[in-house]
C-alpha cells in the first residue's frame, strides 16, 4: 500500500482535517479503458469502478505526470468493500503505481481509489487491462435441469439446441430473473444473437419442464479500450457523486464522502432487485399489459397534479420496451456495438421511429435480460409530425439503487402546437425514497404559453414554478 506520513497530512491538508472528508466521484469504466485526470484539490478522491468476474486476471498502471508516486494514495477494494492492496499487488515504481496482475477472487464491482493528501493539481494516467475467461459451455438435460455459471456484467448468454416450445428460466445475481416463454421476443433473442447479463455474479439457467439444451456464455464485448477524461469533481465536498453518461455528475443524497481510510463508495453487497413496471420491462411476457396514457408518458395534461406519473418532464413518446426492441428492432452497427432500429404507430402521436442501443458495465452490448445492473439505455425518437425529435438516456444502477433519466423531446404538430418535455439528471431511488432532479413540461400554441418546472430535492420537497 502507498501511504503518506501523518505529519504531511496534518501540515498540508489542515483545512480539511476538521471535515475528515472531501469530494468523491465514481466513474464506471470497462477493463481496458485508458483514463486521464487531475486531483485538483487536496483530499479529493477519484474512484474508478470496474465490474469483474471471479477467475479473471486484472492489471493497471497509474502514471503520474510530474509528481512521485509517494504523493498519491491508491487503494483497491473488492465488491464487499474490503481493501485488497496486498492481494492485488499494489506497488510503487518511480512515478508509477502498479496494480497486479492478479486473479480476481470476488465477482462484482471493484473500486480503484486515487487521492492525494500532500499536494493539489496532480495529473495522472491510468491504463487498465484484463484477461477474460474463455467461453463457458454448459449442457442441460436428463436429471440436470439447471446449471450455474459466474459471469461478468455484459457477458452474453445464448441457448442452443433447445426445442423452443418449453420455458427457460434465468436467475440473475441479486435474486432477480425471468421466465423466458415460448413465442416471446426474449426466447427468439436467447436462441439467436443472445441476451446480456446486466450485473456481475452467478447466473443460473434451468429448464423447469425438462428437455435438453446447450448454454454458451461469452465474455463482454471488447470495445478496444476507450480514452476517458475523469471530469472535474463538483465543489460539494460532503456528498458522493456518480457519473452517468449525458447526465454528468449526479450527487447521491444518501451518502457522504468518506474519510481517507474508509472504503470507496459506501455501498456494498449484491444488486438491489429492480421493480418492473410493465410499460418499461417485462421482456419475458408473452402478452404485455396494455399501456395507459400516463403509463406510456404520452401528452401530459397540465391541469393534473404533475410529476412522473402524469408525464410531466418525461418523454412525450413512449419509452421503448425491451420487448419492442428485441422483437421489432433490426440490428445495426453503432460504434463497436449494436443498435436496434424499429418503427411503431402510436394512437396519439402517429408513426414513430426509434433507434436504441445499450451498454452494460461500461461496454456496448446486446439487449440485456433486464434493467437490473449498471445498464444504460439510450434512444432517439422521431415522428411524422411537422417536427418531432427526442434524445434520452435511462441509466439503471442497481448496485447504487438508483435510476437516472436525462434528455429532452420536442413535438410540433401540423397546427403548430408545440409540446416539449425535459428531464435533467432526474434520479429516482429504487427503494421508493424521494427523487432528485429537475423536470420540465412546456406547451406553446397560438397566443398561449405554459411551462411547468419541478425541482425535487431528495427529501420529499418539490419547488414548483408555472409560467
Amino acid at each position: 500500500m502507498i501511504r503518506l506520513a501523518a505529519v504531511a497530512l496534518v501540515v498540508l491538508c489542515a483545512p480539511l482535517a476538521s471535515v475528515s472528508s472531501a469530494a468523491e466521484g465514481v466513474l464506471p469504466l470497462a477493463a481496458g479503458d485508458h483514463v486521464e485526470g487531475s486531483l485538483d484539490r487536496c483530499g479529493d478522491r477519484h474512484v474508478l469502478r470496474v465490474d469483474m468476474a471471479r477467475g479473471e486476471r486484472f492489471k493497471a498502471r497509474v502514471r503520474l505526470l510530474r509528481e512521485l508516486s509517494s504523493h498519491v494514495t491508491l487503494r483497491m477494494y473488492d465488491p464487499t468493500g474490503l481493501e485488497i492492496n496486498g492481494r492485488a499487488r499494489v506497488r510503487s515504481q518511480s512515478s508509477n503505481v502498479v496494480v497486479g496482475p492478479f486473479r480476481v477472487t470476488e465477482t462484482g464491482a471493484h473500486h480503484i481509489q486515487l487521492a492525494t493528501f500532500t499536494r493539489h493539481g496532480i495529473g495522472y494516467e491510468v491504463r487498465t487491462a484484463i484477461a477474460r475467461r474463455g467461453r463457458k459451455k454448459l449442457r442441460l438435460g436428463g436429471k440436470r435441469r439447471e446449471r450455474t455459471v459466474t459471469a461478468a456484467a455484459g457477458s452474453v448468454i445464448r441457448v442452443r439446441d433447445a426445442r423452443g416450445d418449453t420455458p427457460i428460466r434465468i436467475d440473475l445475481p441479486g435474486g432477480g430473473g425471468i421466465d423466458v416463454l415460448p413465442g416471446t421476443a426474449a426466447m427468439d433473442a436467447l436462441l439467436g444473437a443472445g441476451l446480456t447479463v446486466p450485473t456481475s455474479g452467478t447466473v443460473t439457467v434451468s429448464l423447469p419442464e425438462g428437455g435438453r439444451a446447450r448454454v454458451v456464455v461469452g465474455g463482454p464485448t471488447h470495445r478496444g479500450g476507450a480514452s476517458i477524461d475523469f471530469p472535474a469533481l463538483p465543489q460539494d465536498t460532503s456528498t458522493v457523486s456518480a457519473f452517468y453518461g449525458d447526465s454528468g455528475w449526479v450527487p447521491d443524497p444518501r451518502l457522504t464522502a468518506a474519510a481517507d481510510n474508509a472504503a470507496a463508495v459506501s455501498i456494498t453487497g449484491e444488486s438491489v432487485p429492480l421493480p418492473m413496471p410493465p410499460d418499461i420491462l417485462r421482456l419475458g411476457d408473452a402478452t404485455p399489459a396494455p399501456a395507459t396514457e400516463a403509463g406510456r408518458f404520452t401528452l401530459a395534461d397540465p391541469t393534473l397534479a404533475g410529476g412522473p406519473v402524469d408525464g410531466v418532464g418525461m418523454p412525450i413518446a413512449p419509452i421503448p420496451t425491451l420487448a419492442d426492441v428485441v422483437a421489432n428492432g433490426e440490428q445495426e452497427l453503432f460504434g463497436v456495438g449494436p443498435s436496434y432500429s424499429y418503427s411503431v404507430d402510436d394512437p396519439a402521436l402517429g408513426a414513430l421511429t426509434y433507434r436504441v442501443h445499450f451498454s452494460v458495465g461500461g461496454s456496448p452490448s446486446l439487449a440485456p435480460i433486464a434493467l437490473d445492473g449498471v445498464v444504460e439505455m439510450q434512444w432517439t425518437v422521431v415522428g411524422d409530425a411537422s417536427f418531432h425529435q427526442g434524445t434520452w438516456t435511462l441509466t439503471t444502477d442497481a448496485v447504487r439503487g438508483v435510476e437516472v433519466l436525462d434528455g429532452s423531446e420536442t413535438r410540433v404538430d401540423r397546427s403548430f402546437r408545440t409540446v416539449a418535455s425535459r428531464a435533467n439528471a432526474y434520479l429516482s431511488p429504487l427503494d421508493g425514497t424521494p427523487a432528485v432532479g429537475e423536470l420540465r413540461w412546456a406547451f406553446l400554441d397560438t397566443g398561449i404559453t405554459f411551462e411547468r418546472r419541478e425541482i425535487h430535492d431528495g427529501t420529499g420537497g418539490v419547488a414548483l414554478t408555472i409560467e
Side-chain angles (χ1 to χ4, degrees):
M1 183 191 308
I2 299 162
R3 297 298 301 268
L4 303 173
V7 64
L9 178 62
V10 173
V11 173
L12 297 176
C13 285
L16 295 176
S18 61
V19 181
S20 73
S21 65
E24 179 179 307
V26 184
L27 182 70
L29 69 151
D33 287 347
H34 170 216
V35 182
E36 296 186 9
S38 176
L39 296 165
D40 291 328
R41 292 172 296 187
C42 188
D44 280 355
R45 307 203 315 172
H46 288 193
V47 181
L48 306 177
R49 171 193 166 126
V50 186
D51 279 88
M52 296 185 287
R54 180 170 55 85
E56 297 175 337
R57 292 183 66 84
F58 177 78
K59 65 179 179 180
R61 179 177 294 271
V62 181
R63 184 173 75 89
L64 303 185
L65 301 185
R66 290 182 302 275
E67 285 73 16
L68 299 175
S69 59
S70 58
H71 292 142
V72 168
T73 299
L74 186 148
R75 290 189 175 94
M76 187 156 191
Y77 297 91
D78 72 6
T80 68
L82 178 67
E83 183 184 314
I84 57 171
N85 277 31
R87 189 199 318 159
R89 299 178 59 211
V90 177
R91 60 200 184 277
S92 174
Q93 291 182 353
S94 184
S95 61
N96 296 325
V97 183
V98 180
V99 180
F102 75 99
R103 189 174 297 278
V104 176
T105 59
E106 295 285 342
T107 298
H110 290 68
H111 293 98
I112 303 172
Q113 173 200 303
L114 294 170
T116 176
F117 295 92
T118 59
R119 300 174 67 99
H120 62 275
I122 296 181
Y124 64 84
E125 295 178 351
V126 180
R127 293 188 180 275
T128 62
I130 192 167
R132 297 283 189 195
R133 299 187 306 171
R135 289 194 305 171
K136 288 282 188 179
K137 298 180 180 180
L138 312 172
R139 289 191 176 275
L140 293 172
K143 295 182 179 180
R144 180 166 256 181
R145 291 190 175 188
E146 68 176 39
R147 296 294 299 272
T148 297
V149 63
T150 299
S155 296
V156 179
I157 294 183
R158 299 177 177 89
V159 175
R160 298 289 182 258
D161 302 334
R163 287 167 33 191
D165 58 356
T166 57
I168 299 174
R169 173 72 186 176
I170 302 178
D171 290 297
L172 298 171
I178 64 169
D179 291 306
V180 184
L181 303 178
T184 63
M187 181 66 79
D188 291 341
L190 194 61
L191 301 181
L195 295 169
T196 55
V197 179
T199 189
S200 299
T202 55
V203 179
T204 300
V205 182
S206 58
L207 298 173
E209 297 181 6
R212 295 183 179 277
R214 289 187 301 117
V215 181
V216 181
V217 182
T221 301
H222 179 63
R223 64 181 181 186
S227 294
I228 305 171
D229 291 328
F230 199 102
L233 283 173
Q235 294 299 307
D236 187 353
T237 61
S238 63
T239 62
V240 171
S241 297
F243 193 80
Y244 296 99
D246 296 335
S247 303
W249 290 116
V250 177
D252 192 329
R254 302 167 303 166
L255 301 177
T256 58
D260 168 47
N261 59 354
V265 189
S266 55
I267 291 182
T268 60
E270 295 185 337
S271 300
V272 178
L274 174 66
M276 301 177 71
D279 58 298
I280 297 178
L281 299 175
R282 297 303 187 196
L283 179 60
D285 280 0
T287 54
T292 64
E293 287 294 296
R296 288 172 61 85
F297 302 118
T298 54
L299 298 178
D301 183 346
T303 64
L304 296 175
V309 295
D310 297 322
V312 175
M314 307 299 264
I316 297 170
I319 292 177
T321 68
L322 291 176
D324 284 339
V325 171
V326 298
N328 305 317
E330 293 185 2
Q331 284 193 33
E332 302 174 354
L333 186 63
F334 179 83
V336 296
S339 69
Y340 301 82
S341 297
Y342 67 97
S343 298
V344 295
D345 287 320
D346 184 88
L349 303 173
L352 301 173
T353 300
Y354 287 88
R355 170 166 284 165
V356 186
H357 58 274
F358 301 91
S359 67
V360 177
S363 294
S365 76
L366 295 166
I369 296 169
L371 301 183
D372 204 20
V374 183
V375 177
E376 184 176 271
M377 178 173 71
Q378 295 183 329
W379 74 93
T380 59
V381 56
V382 296
D384 63 359
S386 297
F387 178 85
H388 188 167
Q389 176 67 52
T391 302
W392 296 90
T393 302
L394 180 69
T395 304
T396 304
D397 188 342
V399 174
R400 293 172 62 85
V402 295
E403 187 177 66
V404 182
L405 180 70
D406 194 79
S408 63
E409 189 170 351
T410 301
R411 178 180 185 270
V412 182
D413 63 22
R414 290 178 174 81
S415 64
F416 300 104
R417 184 182 71 161
T418 299
V419 178
S421 65
R422 176 180 296 274
N424 293 112
Y426 183 79
L427 184 151
S428 179
L430 300 177
D431 60 6
T433 53
V436 181
E438 180 181 310
L439 303 175
R440 291 192 183 193
W441 192 92
F443 174 87
L444 174 63
D445 201 351
T446 306
I448 302 174
T449 301
F450 177 94
E451 181 180 67
R452 178 187 179 108
R453 180 184 182 194
E454 302 177 8
I455 299 178
H456 299 251
D457 65 4
T459 63
V462 181
L464 174 64
T465 59
I466 298 178
E467 298 178 353

